Amino acid sequence: MTQNPTVYLYNTKADCCKEFYWYDYSTCIGSTSSSSGASYYADWLGDDTCKNDGGAPAYMLQNPTLWLYDTLAECCAAHYTWKSNECLGTTASTSS
């Protein structure tokens, strides 16, 4: 490692965890939730929409950079593009 520090050494713990422990980022960084508090996640087994109720499954909490989003819009855009209005809680306007 000391022979080639630019490959193995990072300035912050977060950078190191992102590079080498992306699959279990929360454990590496020392937390079980994202740093921004309650984050949005896709609730595929429940309402089939994005939620921020703190009920994200463990696998999502273990890799928040992959599964958790800061905003409802980001979550819906990533997982529910075919029904974005429903996911966002809005309805599309229709003509009669």
Side-chain angles (χ1 to χ4, degrees):
M1 281 199 228
T2 57
Q3 297 290 329
N4 196 358
T6 59
V7 174
Y8 298 105
L9 302 178
Y10 289 83
N11 290 328
T12 68
K13 184 176 183 177
D15 289 341
C16 180
C17 291
K18 284 178 189 174
E19 180 66 25
F20 296 109
Y21 298 98
W22 53 267
Y23 56 89
D24 196 9
Y25 180 83
S26 295
T27 301
C28 179
I29 204 72
S31 68
T32 56
S33 63
S34 73
S35 59
S36 61
S39 297
Y40 289 89
Y41 68 96
D43 184 23
W44 294 302
L45 300 176
D47 297 338
D48 202 26
T49 189
C50 292
K51 293 183 175 179
N52 71 338
D53 59 2
Y59 74 91
M60 290 182 180
L61 296 175
Q62 289 174 350
N63 194 353
T65 57
L66 181 62
W67 298 109
L68 303 180
Y69 301 88
D70 290 331
T71 68
L72 177 61
E74 290 172 335
C75 181
C76 292
H79 299 291
Y80 297 106
T81 56
W82 73 94
K83 60 177 204 170
S84 61
N85 287 334
E86 183 180 336
C87 182
L88 291 167
T90 61
T91 56
S93 59
T94 58
S95 307
S96 308

